[in-house]
Amino acid sequence: MADTTIKISDEIRDRIRTLAEERGLSTRAYVERLVSGVPTEDERAERTAKAIAYVRSHLGTDLADDDLREGHEWRQAIVAGRVGSRR
């Protein structure tokens, strides 16, 4: 295991510590859990391709490229906060 130093504000450092403590984790374990849970772009593309293949082969749905484009645009709008509301 490698030790790494990153420069962050005191406020963020304290927030990470608090969040880790609330979950009964060390700061290192909490950061590792957070980072390992976020897929890379390549991993997301692979998951998407697998999901599309599954839908096309198992659900009997004619999933066209336009449908995929619209779904992608919808997801981007959600992420950008243009659709839906955050609680």
Side-chain angles (χ1 to χ4, degrees):
M1 188 173 299
D3 283 337
T4 301
T5 301
I6 59 171
K7 302 284 185 188
I8 56 174
S9 69
D10 292 344
E11 179 183 327
I12 295 299
R13 180 206 57 213
D14 294 344
R15 182 174 176 83
I16 292 170
R17 283 183 182 160
T18 299
L19 292 167
E21 288 173 3
E22 288 176 352
R23 288 153 180 81
L25 298 169
S26 67
T27 301
R28 176 187 296 231
Y30 180 67
V31 170
E32 287 176 353
R33 180 180 287 183
L34 283 176
V35 173
S36 66
V38 178
T40 64
E41 288 299 318
D42 287 344
E43 291 167 338
R44 284 185 53 221
E46 182 180 342
R47 290 178 187 180
T48 298
K50 286 180 180 180
I52 291 167
Y54 181 88
V55 168
R56 284 182 169 154
S57 68
H58 290 90
L59 301 182
T61 302
D62 186 17
L63 196 57
D65 290 338
D66 282 344
D67 298 322
L68 298 175
R69 180 188 47 74
E70 288 177 21
H72 180 72
E73 290 172 359
W74 185 57
R75 182 185 183 283
Q76 287 179 321
I78 292 170
V79 170
R82 295 187 309 265
V83 175
S85 62
R86 297 185 186 245
R87 296 177 187 210

